[in-house]
Amino acid sequence: MKYFQKINNLIGFLLFTIAATVYWLTMEPTLSFWDCGEFIAASYKLQVGHQPGAPLFLMIGKLFSMFAMGDTSKIPYWINFSSVLFSAGTIMFLYWTITLIASKLYTVTRSVNDSLTIISAGVVGALAYTFSDTFWFSAVEAEVYSLSTMFTAVVFWAIFKWESNQNDRWIVFIAFIVGLSIGIHLLSLLSIPAVVLVYYFKKTPKPSFIGILKALGIAGLLWVAVQFVIIQYFVLFAARMDIFFVNTLGFTFGSGAIFFLAALSGSIAYAIYYSIKRNKYYLNLGLICLSFVLLGFSSYFMIIIRANAKPSLNLSNPDNAYSLYNYLGRTNYGQTPLLYGQTFDAQRTGVKETGTEYRRGKEKYEVAGKLLKAEYDKNLLFPRTYSNKGQHPDFYRQWLNLSDGETPSFAQNLSFFTSYQMGYMYWRYFLWNFAGRQNDVQGQGSYSEGNWITGIKWLDAIRLGNQNALPQSITSNAGYNRYFGLPLILGLAGLIFLYRKNKKDTLVVTVLFVFTGLAIIVYLNQDPLQVRERDYAYVGSFYAFAIFIGFGVFAIREGLTRFNAPKLSLIVAALTGLIVAPAIMGYQGWDDHNRSGKTTAMEWAANYLNSCAPNAILFTNADNDTFPLWYAQEVEGIRTDVRVVNLQYLSDGAYIAQMKTQSGKSAPLPIKTAPEKLVKGLREGMPYVNYGFTDSVDLKDILAILTSDDPDDKVQMSDGSYENFLPTKKLKLAVDPTAVIKSNTIPAKYKNSIATEMEWTFSENFASKANLAMFDILVNNNWERPIYFGAGISDDSYIGLEKYLYLEGYAHRLLPIKANPKDTRDKDEITHSDVMFTNIMHKFDFSGFTSAKYLDLESRRIARGAWRAVNNLSTNLIMEGKSGKARQLITKSIKELPMRNYSVEDTLNKFQTIQNLYLIHDIKTANLLAKETADYLDQELIYIASLDPRRYNAYLSDIKVGLFVLNNLEKITANNKQPALNNDIKNIYERLKSNFI
């Protein structure tokens, strides 16, 4: 036994080394997209990121950042490397968990073959998870999921260690790990039901169905105690105590919270003393566990301490107990109905007051308003079709085949839950990992994007249509991973085997699988059209299934031993397990998980900032439009003179106050509205009330109305409160040409083109606090600082100023140039040509597109946007008589930007490039690109034509785009006298047109 234990430990460390090597070789060397930029920036300077924060992750990230030894460009490398190590640790503990469970199958006698089978099962299960799609993705970037999964793995392993020796120190250890994990991510909390079941089975000689239900009920109470009582209500009690001490007793901020913590600590200490004195063992154990959960949870002191230090990233400003409570409760993200709530087409009938909202004032806590809950006329139990945002109602109707005006019934509501939330947003992800994946394109329900497949053509054809002669957009996609369902089959075989041998442990692992997967689906109640794939949320569930994959080795061995060849059966079972799971998963998944050499996110952030003139104000959206920029500025110090203003956060008074301070080389923003007029609870949403103005109203006057405290400038809202209002949507801003020229916004030689007034229409029915802040900047900036809007922000973010925006790279600059009413071009087609040419040619770096082993979906989106911008600029340069510059620009782009067509949509960019190539008389390159584009479309459209009508209709957009591009390629090659090429393209076009028209 001791010899086995030594070997078992050594193999665990060996698997750690293997996994770490795999992840290190495929690790992204610098910044990644999505939250990684914010996490790295917040780790490096110990700042406050978005709700609900991850303080322990940030502190560990700070520790790893020190390995950069002062080289800021290496900081993301080392924080990414921390994820490599944590992920490798997860694999190690997974292996030891599988071998612990498997060892119980041979409690009396164990042969060498049995020991080797146990080890083989552990190796196969651990390596299968190593190469699983979702976990591998998170293992190579600076995200919380690798560390969170390792903590979950440690908790699950530790309860089996407790089971083997029943030393309750393991229970205390589990409590501490769960407490620590709160400062990273809440995944570990979902392992509590499985932990309680192991405890129940060990302590109960004869488990019963009722006993299991009771155990799960206790587990639910424990989860509620940690999730709500400890994480939220302890902080709420501290906040209420602080409000009492400050507002009633006159003490300073924080005094009541400190008193509460002292009282809580004293009470727990006394209770522990009492339990020892009275020999109350289980009370003592529970209190010690509570103490260690709270000790782990104490990492959140970092958030409140750093918020009081007012770092440059200080989202939501949780600098007191009450704001920390809101921060932990993710109040910025709104409320999602769970058990009872409205349908998507419900109308609001009123609001219900649920409490009082506070904010921190200068000397006391002030009432910020009432906490309100909307009431609706149409409600359902277990509401799953509740969102009325954007295109969500149309999505619900399309998914459920609802007619206009039809309200979803309870049955249809459940259908959406089972088919979309569970089927599409969980089982699809599960099968990505263990059956195969169609491509890496984000799926929203179509037949060609982000589906699961097996690679077994007849089987996949049942769901997705003809799988013969698949087009290049599928077969050349790095995410085209075919596992043939083999890891899934092995896992199911392992599940059946374990169920036959040990029903208790099967139930334990299954409970972990359900609670870290399907239970999250129920709790999150996701609305449709998510901005990114959400498979990372269910990584714990895939971890549990990897345990079953390990036991698949036992299932194979058991089947082979019927032929009376025990040694051979072990070898065959181990090799088969390795081949059908980790080997095929690693082989198929390597290319779309290999991020070595990929620097596209870092370069995009720098290019974005370099699109702006010195000391610019840049309005952006959240996530990928902001987080990489924060990283570039906060970590590498790139263009800190540019003030990045996130419009989603600009509705927070604390964020506006932050914008009014110096940051890096950026001076405070010219916001003149008094801070007390922008605090929480004031001017959150100012309605449009038509006062019948026929002419535009000066923005300065509008700002005065919006910030006025005069009751005549306010209207009563539905909740009884009074709010400022917007009296017109027709706005104007007076322009001083002298100030415009003095600031070099427009050179003096173009003085006559300067508009003395800018007029526009504000399109929204409510003006937000963010809009108010933007109006304030426009009024008070007086063209002293350049103002930019990101090219990828939502249409409403431009507040109606589109006709005054000129593209200078990845951002539009606001310029007071007289608009030409005959110019019908889109804002993306209007360029500040000479400035943009200089930016792209001399300031932009596109090298990451060629150095990367794999271009992910987000990198391709950015490349597509870069091509669109280059094409528009090239067209404008040619129209302006600057063909030489256009030639330089196109040459650089062809050399550095991806030329491959990843989708039919990419051919629109290629057509415009071909058009410009002919205009600058680069006939050879134009012909080559035209031939490649036509051949690509030929293959794509032939495949679409082979589909049955039901699936054929799902590709209508691709058909229209493809035929449009082919038709125009035929015309342009004819116009440029390329008869051979023109004849080829014409034949392709006519042949395909006959299939679709």
Side-chain angles (χ1 to χ4, degrees):
M1 184 67 181
K2 289 183 179 179
Y3 180 75
F4 170 81
Q5 194 59 49
K6 288 181 180 179
I7 296 295
N8 189 51
N9 290 341
L10 286 173
I11 293 177
F13 291 122
L14 176 62
L15 287 170
F16 173 91
T17 304
I18 292 171
T21 302
V22 168
Y23 297 145
W24 177 60
L25 290 174
T26 56
M27 184 186 79
E28 190 145 2
T30 182
L31 169 71
S32 303
F33 287 110
W34 298 105
D35 294 352
C36 299
E38 184 203 58
F39 278 133
I40 296 170
S43 294
Y44 174 51
K45 293 184 177 179
L46 288 181
Q47 302 183 94
V48 181
H50 67 277
Q51 300 177 354
L56 183 58
F57 176 85
L58 299 183
M59 288 187 279
I60 293 173
K62 173 64 177 178
L63 176 65
F64 274 85
S65 74
M66 294 178 180
F67 290 109
M69 304 296 287
D71 183 354
T72 56
S73 67
K74 293 297 183 183
I75 286 171
Y77 177 94
W78 285 105
I79 299 181
N80 289 347
F81 188 71
S82 72
S83 289
V84 166
L85 297 181
F86 301 144
S87 301
T90 302
I91 302 306
M92 179 174 68
F93 282 105
L94 172 58
Y95 167 78
W96 285 335
T97 300
I98 294 173
T99 56
L100 271 172
I101 298 172
S103 294
K104 292 191 289 181
L105 301 179
Y106 306 98
T107 54
V108 181
T109 60
R110 184 192 302 170
S111 65
V112 174
N113 263 12
D114 293 335
S115 295
L116 291 176
T117 306
I118 291 170
I119 291 171
S120 299
V123 169
V124 169
L127 288 179
Y129 194 61
T130 300
F131 296 110
S132 62
D133 181 78
T134 299
F135 186 66
W136 196 348
F137 182 90
S138 297
V140 295
E141 64 178 14
E143 257 283 12
V144 296
Y145 302 106
S146 56
L147 182 56
S148 174
T149 311
M150 189 185 80
F151 272 48
T152 305
V154 170
V155 166
F156 200 58
W157 166 80
I159 193 59
F160 286 108
K161 292 293 287 185
W162 169 85
E163 184 190 37
S164 65
N165 56 38
Q166 293 194 69
N167 187 329
D168 286 342
R169 291 179 179 178
W170 285 107
I171 302 295
V172 176
F173 173 73
I174 289 171
F176 185 47
I177 295 298
V178 168
L180 286 173
S181 72
I182 297 170
I184 303 165
H185 191 266
L186 299 181
L187 179 64
S188 293
L189 271 63
L190 297 172
S191 63
I192 290 175
V195 168
V196 171
L197 270 186
V198 173
Y199 190 92
Y200 168 75
F201 287 140
K202 190 66 178 179
K203 292 291 186 178
T204 307
K206 293 183 178 180
S208 65
F209 178 73
I210 299 299
I212 291 172
L213 291 181
K214 288 180 178 178
L216 290 175
I218 292 170
L221 291 175
L222 288 173
W223 177 80
V224 168
V226 179
Q227 171 77 20
F228 295 103
V229 178
I230 292 178
I231 296 178
Q232 292 187 42
Y233 289 112
F234 273 18
V235 181
L236 179 60
F237 295 151
R240 293 293 182 186
M241 187 69 72
D242 206 45
I243 292 171
F244 173 72
F245 267 64
V246 175
N247 288 13
T248 304
L249 302 181
F251 285 84
T252 59
F253 288 106
S255 55
I258 293 173
F259 176 83
F260 171 80
L261 291 174
L264 177 65
S265 300
S267 300
I268 294 175
Y270 176 78
I272 291 174
Y273 169 77
Y274 172 84
S275 68
I276 296 172
K277 194 166 181 91
R278 297 300 180 91
N279 200 26
K280 305 284 187 180
Y281 179 80
Y282 286 106
L283 175 61
N284 178 264
L285 179 62
L287 289 167
I288 291 176
C289 287
L290 173 62
S291 301
F292 273 89
V293 170
L294 290 172
L295 180 62
F297 181 46
S298 67
S299 65
Y300 267 91
F301 279 120
M302 175 263 185
I303 295 293
I304 200 167
I305 290 169
R306 293 302 296 156
N308 275 281
K310 306 304 178 199
S312 51
L313 292 185
N314 184 23
L315 303 184
S316 302
N317 188 34
D319 61 354
N320 61 82
Y322 192 83
S323 59
L324 180 64
Y325 165 71
N326 287 328
Y327 185 80
L328 286 165
R330 294 168 60 92
T331 55
N332 278 3
Y333 294 91
Q335 293 181 334
T336 300
L338 291 179
L339 299 179
Y340 184 77
Q342 72 278 9
T343 58
F344 69 85
D345 61 341
Q347 299 297 315
R348 197 166 76 167
T349 58
V351 290
K352 179 181 179 182
E353 185 178 322
T354 60
T356 303
E357 183 80 2
Y358 291 92
R359 60 176 177 257
R360 179 175 176 170
K362 290 183 178 180
E363 297 179 355
K364 292 185 176 183
Y365 286 99
E366 301 170 347
V367 174
K370 300 297 183 182
L371 293 172
L372 304 172
K373 183 178 181 180
E375 296 179 327
Y376 296 89
D377 61 349
K378 298 177 182 179
N379 297 279
L380 287 171
L381 288 172
F382 196 61
R384 303 288 114 177
T385 53
Y386 62 91
S387 175
N388 63 358
K389 294 185 294 187
Q391 297 177 324
H392 293 176
D394 290 338
F395 186 92
Y396 290 130
R397 290 190 184 97
Q398 182 181 9
W399 191 274
L400 296 172
N401 293 318
L402 298 174
S403 59
D404 288 342
E406 183 180 359
T407 297
S409 65
F410 181 69
Q412 290 169 322
N413 179 68
L414 285 183
S415 173
F416 185 79
F417 169 65
T418 56
S419 64
Y420 181 78
Q421 291 187 330
M422 288 182 63
Y424 201 73
M425 297 302 288
Y426 175 77
W427 288 116
R428 176 172 65 104
Y429 296 143
F430 172 79
L431 292 166
W432 273 7
N433 283 270
F434 304 113
R437 185 174 179 178
Q438 182 185 34
N439 52 45
D440 64 358
V441 180
Q442 183 179 353
Q444 300 291 3
S446 74
Y447 293 113
S448 62
E449 297 174 344
N451 295 290
W452 68 271
I453 61 168
T454 62
I456 303 171
K457 293 187 176 182
W458 66 267
L459 182 60
D460 296 331
I462 296 173
R463 295 167 32 255
L464 303 175
N466 176 31
Q467 295 295 293
N468 294 314
L470 290 171
Q472 185 181 341
S473 60
I474 294 178
T475 58
S476 295
N477 186 286
Y480 182 51
N481 298 330
R482 293 150 294 162
Y483 305 153
F484 306 103
L486 295 175
L488 174 66
I489 294 170
L490 187 63
L492 293 175
L495 167 63
I496 294 169
F497 172 85
L498 186 60
Y499 179 77
R500 289 174 52 241
K501 300 294 183 180
N502 189 333
K503 293 180 176 59
K504 295 177 183 177
D505 284 347
T506 305
L507 181 58
V508 169
V509 179
T510 302
V511 164
L512 179 68
F513 175 82
V514 170
F515 275 85
T516 55
L518 297 173
I520 297 177
I521 288 289
V522 174
Y523 181 73
L524 291 180
N525 193 9
Q526 287 176 336
D527 50 23
L529 301 174
Q530 294 286 311
V531 297
R532 62 182 294 197
E533 299 286 15
R534 301 298 187 183
D535 55 307
Y536 56 81
Y538 318 114
V539 68
S541 181
F542 309 150
Y543 174 94
F545 192 77
I547 296 175
F548 292 136
I549 288 179
F551 280 93
V553 174
F554 280 96
I556 297 172
R557 178 197 165 191
E558 184 180 59
L560 293 174
T561 49
R562 298 175 183 175
F563 298 101
N564 296 319
K567 290 184 179 180
L568 182 61
S569 65
L570 167 61
I571 296 170
V572 173
L575 289 176
T576 301
L578 285 170
I579 292 170
V580 303
I584 194 170
M585 292 166 73
Y587 174 75
Q588 289 286 316
W590 189 277
D591 55 353
D592 57 310
H593 291 89
N594 184 8
R595 302 200 212 173
S596 60
K598 182 169 161 294
T599 58
T600 51
M602 176 62 240
E603 288 164 7
W604 176 79
N607 292 343
Y608 200 163
L609 292 170
N610 284 326
S611 298
C612 302
N615 304 311
I617 299 169
L618 173 61
F619 293 114
T620 66
N621 278 349
D623 293 352
N624 275 345
D625 206 35
T626 296
F627 296 157
L629 306 187
W630 282 348
Y631 162 82
Q633 291 185 320
E634 296 292 321
V635 179
E636 298 203 27
I638 297 171
R639 293 299 307 275
T640 61
D641 60 301
V642 176
R643 179 58 66 98
V644 176
V645 184
N646 186 302
L647 293 173
Q648 277 67 42
Y649 297 127
L650 197 59
S651 288
D652 180 8
Y655 184 78
I656 296 174
Q658 192 177 334
M659 293 293 101
K660 295 171 69 174
T661 62
Q662 182 82 21
S663 179
K665 296 179 182 179
S666 171
L669 293 186
I671 299 175
K672 303 301 182 183
T673 302
E676 60 269 17
K677 294 179 182 286
L678 299 173
V679 295
K680 183 177 183 179
L682 296 181
R683 299 173 176 86
E684 299 293 351
M686 295 160 282
Y688 163 62
V689 178
N690 189 354
Y691 261 51
F693 291 108
T694 55
D695 295 328
S696 299
V697 178
D698 193 279
L699 191 61
K700 188 175 183 179
D701 296 330
I702 294 295
L703 183 63
I705 295 172
L706 294 178
T707 57
S708 171
D709 292 324
D710 190 329
D712 291 338
D713 292 327
K714 297 185 179 185
V715 294
Q716 189 172 17
M717 306 294 283
S718 59
D719 61 356
S721 65
Y722 287 85
E723 188 59 275
N724 296 81
F725 64 93
L726 183 68
T728 181
K729 293 185 179 183
K730 296 179 179 180
L731 309 176
K732 67 180 179 181
L733 179 67
V735 178
D736 179 2
T738 304
V740 172
I741 293 171
K742 182 179 178 182
S743 64
N744 202 32
T745 301
I746 296 175
K749 62 181 179 180
Y750 298 119
K751 182 178 181 179
N752 292 335
S753 68
I754 299 174
T756 55
E757 279 187 346
M758 294 169 56
E759 292 187 278
W760 71 96
T761 301
F762 182 76
S763 60
E764 302 300 307
N765 290 322
F766 276 83
S768 67
K769 190 177 293 183
N771 297 142
L772 191 155
M774 295 171 77
F775 292 164
D776 199 333
I777 292 170
L778 290 172
V779 167
N780 295 298
N781 184 51
N782 197 27
W783 306 103
E784 292 178 5
R785 298 180 68 172
I787 294 177
Y788 288 83
F789 291 81
I793 64 178
S794 56
D795 289 341
D796 60 321
S797 299
Y798 296 107
I799 61 172
L801 288 167
E802 287 89 341
K803 63 182 177 181
Y804 298 106
L805 298 180
Y806 293 79
L807 196 64
E808 292 190 354
Y810 285 142
H812 299 277
R813 185 169 182 175
L814 184 67
L815 294 174
I817 298 175
K818 296 175 183 176
N820 181 0
K822 295 181 180 180
D823 191 344
T824 59
R825 292 178 297 172
D826 179 80
K827 67 180 184 307
D828 292 329
E829 298 173 320
I830 301 174
T831 60
H832 199 187
S833 299
D834 290 335
V835 174
M836 186 174 175
F837 174 81
T838 300
N839 287 342
I840 293 178
M841 291 299 298
H842 304 296
K843 297 180 182 180
F844 280 20
D845 182 4
F846 295 134
S847 60
F849 289 117
T850 53
S851 65
K853 301 293 189 299
Y854 161 65
L855 288 181
D856 63 307
L857 183 65
E858 198 62 23
S859 296
R860 301 200 302 267
R861 181 189 67 81
I862 288 169
R864 189 178 298 122
W867 265 118
R868 191 178 303 116
V870 164
N871 284 333
N872 288 333
L873 176 58
S874 300
T875 300
N876 290 344
L877 287 170
I878 293 168
M879 291 172 61
E880 295 166 13
K882 302 170 183 174
S883 297
K885 285 187 173 182
R887 179 183 291 274
Q888 293 178 54
L889 183 66
I890 295 173
T891 300
K892 173 185 172 73
S893 302
I894 289 175
K895 182 180 179 182
E896 298 180 3
L897 289 174
M899 294 300 295
R900 174 181 159 188
N901 290 306
Y902 288 91
S903 67
V904 171
E905 183 185 357
D906 287 330
T907 64
L908 286 169
N909 275 332
K910 296 304 183 295
F911 166 70
Q912 193 173 356
T913 302
I914 293 164
Q915 190 176 38
N916 288 334
L917 283 167
Y918 280 127
L919 288 173
I920 62 173
H921 307 295
D922 188 349
I923 305 300
K924 181 179 179 182
T925 307
N927 287 347
L928 179 63
L929 192 54
K931 181 72 167 81
E932 290 176 354
T933 302
D935 289 344
Y936 174 83
L937 288 172
D938 188 18
Q939 186 187 41
E940 295 292 320
L941 296 182
I942 284 175
Y943 171 72
I944 294 173
S946 72
L947 299 174
D948 61 84
R950 179 167 59 94
R951 295 183 176 91
Y952 169 105
N953 290 331
Y955 292 84
L956 288 178
S957 176
D958 281 353
I959 295 169
K960 290 178 181 177
V961 169
L963 292 179
F964 169 82
V965 172
L966 283 170
N967 184 30
N968 282 279
L969 283 177
E970 189 272 326
K971 291 178 180 177
I972 199 172
T973 51
N975 291 338
N976 283 276
K977 298 179 175 55
Q978 303 298 313
L981 178 59
N982 173 258
N983 188 58
D984 289 343
I985 295 174
K986 186 176 182 179
N987 288 337
I988 293 172
Y989 174 66
E990 294 296 336
R991 172 167 43 82
L992 291 172
K993 187 171 67 170
S994 65
N995 290 320
F996 299 114
I997 297 176

